[in-house]
Amino acid sequence: MKKSTMALAAVALGALIAPTFAQAAEKTIAFMRGGPDPYYQYGMNAAQAAADKLGVKLVTYTANNDPTQELANVQDAITKGVDGILIYAVSLSSEKAAIAQAQRAGVPIFFQYGYDPSLLKNAAGFMEINLFKFGEPVGEALGKQVPDGEVAIVTGKLGRGDAEAFANSFKDGLKAVGSKASVVAEVAADWDRQKALDATAQILTAHPDVKAIYAANDDMAVGVSIAIDRAGKTGKILLGACNGAPYGIDLIKQGKMTITNSNPPSIASVQSLQLLLAVIDKKIEPGQFYAAPTQLITSANMDTAIPWDAKPDQVAAWLAQPLPQPSPGPTN
Amino acid sequence: MSQTVLTGLEGRVQKSSPIRALGVGRFTLLLVLLAIIVVTAIGNPRFLSANNLFNILFQVSTLGIVAAGQTVLLVAGGLDLSVGAALSVAGLSTALTVVGTGSTLLGVLAGLAAGTAIGTLNGALVATNRATPFIVTLGTMTFLQGMAIVMCNGSPVNGVDTLFDIFSTGSAFGVPFPIYALLAAVATIYLVLRFTMLGRYAFAIGGNEEAARLSGIPVRRVKIGLYALSGLMVGVAGVILTGILDSGLPSMGNGYELRAIAAVVIGGTPLVGGRGTVIGTLGGVLLLGLVSNSMNLLGVGANYQSAVLGLIITAAVLLQKKR
């Protein structure tokens, strides 16, 4: 074996065993991300800050959007001897297997998103927004300003249900306020900023009279906004989105976006961690659904938006609040 | 209906299909592109507007630059699966340097250096270990995907206003700057493949690596040079995409590797190497961009778009095989 190869192997081995020398804490919780999406990252950062304050050790895993890897992560965490698992599941299909693994080992598992009523009784709990209603207030807000004419939708990756729900609920919102605006284009941009930019350029070519565009998340809204800029239509086309991400709020501050419905991962992950710990300590019943915090953000309240990148004092303030109360799960 | 034809020095008897007899294979890509253009123009007259045509070129510019770099690798029988992740790292290097130093020039240099360094590293790993490029670059791809997240802690890096002004909204004579960059990249690769020793060696290595080695071609050095050149193209694309998106993102290069390879293969360069042209690659890139643009202008439903795109790519590749 070459020296360079041996050195590389030594570095890799060192990276692998270094974490085992970390000090053990009172409780160990596994935090599992579905993939590299910033949403998960912000949630993980807030959960880490909360864990530090609570004296809990947080070990983090990522599945890279691979259900097989996710199951391997669950098994590894159980082998490691964690007290509980807090997870953003990759897909509904992988949840059942994850629950089965955790149940066999007697480890509570709490899900952020991926709510399935049939799995609720076997989980420590679920926290999620109501996907079937989430785009509605954005549709209402844009519908009031566009009583007729053309609107377009740039939605996420199809096939998982969430992108479809975000788009349909936006249309419900338009109808709810009596807008006669017609949806002339509905393009899937896979939650991707560049694809949203390209899709919007094409929408504006095919439908130059579009009055408003709805992007199913703020990341895509940035791409939509750039396309609107490039077409020289800034200020002439309304833009609404979902998520309340820092870059979405920046668009509102710049006057390029009207509204975003925020579902901050920071406070949701802090509350989910608290709920999981309460289940472990037998302070609350497992198997319950909790509505994730949401907030409509416009230019009127953008300065008081719940931050995604929460500072430690903000996390401490959330920890001081009473635990969220369970509610009925959302239905389509 | 088929006819019998004698081909080649061996006088081998082959069955010639009507498609081959018509010479369709040679001009497959051009015919497919023309068909899409005609159908879309009939369906939506706005398709042929200068604004839309520039939009298509703008949209494929970064993919085209990456694919141009990938062409030299495939010609030499190589492959680089890490170009997408490397693009993310190059873009983030640019954004972080601009934000950290306040200098756009340093940011651009950092992006180009990152892309070139990654390419050189891949080349060194492939050439010195005689390892399969697929496996080596699969490893570096995974490493770089992780590095991209580590570099920015998984969050977008904003604050590249000058690059945005140049690459997203800037133009000269009405043509956006990324299109000039695409044409420059294609011209560079064309000249390298056609008029330099590096290009000739690439064809020789792709045709028969062992024969190239025995005839005195410095195979290792050439491979490292080709991967470095491809890496430089990735760096250029990373800088431009950072400007277009007004930010560096850990996921900005997602999917580029497969689309770039698809464009090169659609353009007539075989995966086994030995032949190929960057002009063909440009055609492949245009096909991918045109199909997407065409479907949106014709109002093809979102649920059907992936299926249609797949069918057209498959048809184009199968028709190419008729050559």
Side-chain angles (χ1 to χ4, degrees), chain A residues 251-274:
Chain A
L251 287 179
I252 292 175
K253 284 178 180 168
Q254 293 162 18
K256 293 178 177 177
M257 187 155 80
T258 306
I259 187 168
T260 181
N261 195 6
S262 177
N263 54 328
S266 47
I267 187 171
S269 285
V270 169
Q271 289 183 350
S272 296
L273 178 65
Q274 284 181 289

Side-chain angles (χ1 to χ4, degrees), chain A:
Chain A
M1 201 189 291
K2 290 182 178 169
K3 280 182 186 171
S4 60
T5 312
M6 285 178 71
L8 195 64
V11 169
L13 192 65
L16 205 62
I17 62 173
T20 61
F21 292 107
Q23 258 193 318
E26 188 194 350
K27 273 198 192 75
T28 303
I29 301 295
F31 186 101
M32 298 194 176
R33 295 162 50 177
D37 192 282
Y39 189 87
Y40 301 132
Q41 182 70 43
Y42 283 110
M44 192 175 85
N45 292 349
Q48 184 65 66
D52 291 344
K53 288 236 179 295
L54 296 166
V56 169
K57 184 183 174 191
L58 202 73
V59 286
T60 57
Y61 300 77
T62 180
N64 286 321
N65 297 318
D66 176 359
T68 311
Q69 183 59 50
E70 180 168 275
L71 197 55
N73 289 344
V74 171
Q75 289 164 339
D76 291 348
I78 290 165
T79 305
K80 194 177 173 69
V82 298
D83 298 288
I85 298 170
L86 181 56
I87 182 169
Y88 283 110
V90 171
S91 68
L92 292 173
S93 60
S94 61
E95 287 180 1
K96 206 169 178 177
I99 286 178
Q101 291 281 353
Q103 266 195 310
R104 263 201 298 274
V107 177
I109 183 165
F110 192 102
F111 288 87
Q112 295 194 78
Y113 291 86
Y115 171 62
D116 181 340
S118 68
L119 299 177
L120 186 58
K121 64 179 184 300
N122 298 322
F126 275 86
M127 180 177 277
E128 181 173 306
I129 55 168
N130 187 341
L131 295 170
F132 310 110
K133 297 276 182 192
F134 199 54
E136 211 168 286
V138 182
E140 289 173 4
L142 295 188
K144 282 175 189 166
Q145 297 185 62
V146 185
D148 50 31
E150 298 180 346
V151 299
I153 295 173
V154 177
T155 192
K157 196 171 183 67
L158 300 173
R160 205 173 54 178
D162 50 353
E164 292 88 342
F166 278 36
N168 291 334
S169 55
F170 171 76
K171 293 178 206 165
D172 292 342
L174 286 178
K175 284 193 205 112
V177 293
S179 171
K180 300 280 185 292
S182 58
V183 178
V184 292
E186 189 172 331
V187 182
D190 300 355
W191 311 114
D192 181 275
R193 196 175 288 202
Q194 191 185 3
K195 286 182 182 174
L197 194 167
D198 295 348
T200 305
Q202 288 153 13
I203 288 169
L204 295 180
T205 300
H207 307 283
D209 299 325
V210 157
K211 292 180 178 175
I213 299 177
Y214 165 65
N217 78 352
D218 285 336
D219 206 19
M220 292 194 296
V222 175
V224 172
S225 164
I226 291 170
I228 291 172
D229 277 351
R230 294 192 71 250
K233 295 192 173 186
T234 304
K236 294 173 189 160
I237 296 175
L238 295 175
L239 174 59
C242 289
N243 275 173
Y247 31 88
I249 292 170
D250 283 346
L251 287 179
I252 292 175
K253 284 178 180 168
Q254 293 162 18
K256 293 178 177 177
M257 187 155 80
T258 306
I259 187 168
T260 181
N261 195 6
S262 177
N263 54 328
S266 47
I267 187 171
S269 285
V270 169
Q271 289 183 350
S272 296
L273 178 65
Q274 284 181 289
L275 290 164
L276 174 60
L277 290 168
V279 167
I280 293 168
D281 293 337
K282 301 203 170 10
K283 289 179 181 169
I284 60 169
E285 285 298 310
Q288 305 201 78
F289 178 87
Y290 301 87
T294 63
Q295 183 187 25
L296 274 176
I297 300 170
T298 64
S299 56
N301 68 339
M302 60 189 177
D303 295 327
T304 56
I306 298 170
W308 277 34
D309 47 347
K311 301 290 176 285
D313 56 339
Q314 175 72 78
V315 171
W318 290 335
L319 288 171
Q321 291 173 0
L323 284 178
Q325 291 304 302
S327 61
T331 50
N332 192 354

Side-chain angles (χ1 to χ4, degrees), chain B residues 126-217:
Chain B
V126 169
T128 56
N129 294 293
R130 296 187 73 175
T132 314
F134 182 93
I135 295 299
V136 170
T137 57
L138 184 66
T140 49
M141 175 183 91
T142 310
F143 170 72
L144 292 169
Q145 282 172 340
M147 280 304 299
I149 294 168
V150 169
M151 282 170 79
C152 62
N153 201 18
S155 308
V157 180
N158 300 316
V160 289
D161 297 351
T162 307
L163 284 174
F164 177 74
D165 291 341
I166 296 168
F167 292 118
S168 198
T169 55
S171 63
F173 310 109
V175 180
F177 285 120
I179 298 175
Y180 289 112
L182 169 65
L183 297 175
V186 169
T188 302
I189 298 299
Y190 177 82
L191 294 171
V192 166
L193 284 175
R194 180 120 193 176
F195 297 110
T196 69
M197 295 300 284
L198 186 67
R200 279 185 217 128
Y201 288 163
F203 283 107
I205 293 168
N208 186 329
E209 187 173 332
E210 200 50 39
R213 199 186 312 279
L214 293 170
S215 63
I217 292 173

Side-chain angles (χ1 to χ4, degrees), chain B residues 3-202:
Chain B
Q3 55 191 109
T4 304
V5 191
L6 286 176
T7 61
L9 294 172
E10 315 92 330
R12 211 177 279 153
V13 176
Q14 280 194 354
K15 292 284 182 185
S16 173
S17 67
I19 288 175
R20 189 191 297 273
L22 287 167
V24 168
R26 186 177 298 277
F27 302 108
T28 301
L29 197 50
L30 196 58
L31 290 170
V32 172
L33 288 171
L34 282 172
I36 293 169
I37 288 168
V38 170
V39 169
T40 314
I42 292 167
N44 190 331
R46 290 197 188 100
F47 171 77
L48 288 177
S49 66
N51 185 45
N52 186 55
L53 296 177
F54 280 142
N55 265 342
I56 294 169
L57 286 170
F58 177 85
Q59 286 162 17
V60 301
S61 57
T62 48
L63 175 64
I65 292 165
V66 172
Q70 190 80 263
T71 305
V72 297
L73 300 183
L74 264 75
V75 161
L79 184 79
D80 188 351
L81 288 179
S82 74
V83 289
L87 190 150
S88 299
V89 169
L92 283 166
S93 301
T94 301
L96 288 166
T97 307
V98 170
V99 171
T101 66
S103 165
T104 301
L105 178 61
L106 281 179
V108 170
L109 292 174
L112 299 182
T116 309
I118 291 165
T120 307
L121 173 71
N122 274 326
L125 289 171
V126 169
T128 56
N129 294 293
R130 296 187 73 175
T132 314
F134 182 93
I135 295 299
V136 170
T137 57
L138 184 66
T140 49
M141 175 183 91
T142 310
F143 170 72
L144 292 169
Q145 282 172 340
M147 280 304 299
I149 294 168
V150 169
M151 282 170 79
C152 62
N153 201 18
S155 308
V157 180
N158 300 316
V160 289
D161 297 351
T162 307
L163 284 174
F164 177 74
D165 291 341
I166 296 168
F167 292 118
S168 198
T169 55
S171 63
F173 310 109
V175 180
F177 285 120
I179 298 175
Y180 289 112
L182 169 65
L183 297 175
V186 169
T188 302
I189 298 299
Y190 177 82
L191 294 171
V192 166
L193 284 175
R194 180 120 193 176
F195 297 110
T196 69
M197 295 300 284
L198 186 67
R200 279 185 217 128
Y201 288 163

